[in-house]
Amino acid sequence: INGNGTVTGLTALPTSAMPSKSVIQEVSAIFAPYGDAGSERGSSSSYTDTGITLSITPSSGSKILVLVEGCSFGYQSSANTVSYFINLVSTPSGGSDTQLRETQIRFSSQGNDTARLFDSWSMLYPHTHGLNGSTAITYKCQHKLNSATYCWARYKGSQMTLLELKPWQQRLN
């Protein structure tokens, strides 16, 4: 600190000087609403990618807090129920998908008209990755039908934020 109270010679606080659980890296993206057809639309009872995807290269021993939200839409012709799933997976570079969290979005009504459902959804997941500090991880959302003709996980858009947290020691009581 110079005579004017200004910090000089320091462009960033070193990670070692940060307290446990500090955010040491942040990556985020906003995903635009998507159209009516193509790979953006869920039309299978198996998980398919939604285009909601984001990568980070975390430090060894850190945790990643994954935050993702969106506004979805699903419909089912001539039925009283519409139901679909949204899935969060992680994939280390060169590795395979690991399911982290799954949520079901469902609506039932009386009658057999076409069932339609707009819904907002969110997921929060603290991921202990166990990587060495030089491997990227890609997080993505997928969707699949349960009882629906089609579904769109990001019908009105979506956002994903990845927060890398400095490691900490857990206390045992």
Side-chain angles (χ1 to χ4, degrees), residues 94-114:
S96 57
D97 289 351
T98 299
Q99 182 183 43
L100 302 177
R101 186 168 216 91
E102 178 183 62
T103 188
Q104 182 179 20
I105 299 173
R106 181 181 174 87
F107 171 74
S108 295
S109 66
Q110 295 180 353
N112 284 326
D113 295 333
T114 298

Side-chain angles (χ1 to χ4, degrees), residues 87-137:
N87 193 35
L88 175 64
V89 299
S90 70
T91 310
S93 181
S96 57
D97 289 351
T98 299
Q99 182 183 43
L100 302 177
R101 186 168 216 91
E102 178 183 62
T103 188
Q104 182 179 20
I105 299 173
R106 181 181 174 87
F107 171 74
S108 295
S109 66
Q110 295 180 353
N112 284 326
D113 295 333
T114 298
R116 293 176 176 85
L117 175 61
F118 287 97
D119 200 7
S120 61
W121 57 272
S122 62
M123 294 183 188
L124 171 67
Y125 188 83
H127 184 214
T128 303
H129 56 79
L131 298 176
N132 62 10
S134 63
T135 303
I137 305 172

Side-chain angles (χ1 to χ4, degrees), residues 70-91:
C71 182
S72 61
F73 175 66
Y75 79 91
Q76 172 83 335
S77 300
S78 302
N80 67 346
T81 299
V82 60
S83 175
Y84 51 95
F85 290 90
I86 298 175
N87 193 35
L88 175 64
V89 299
S90 70
T91 310

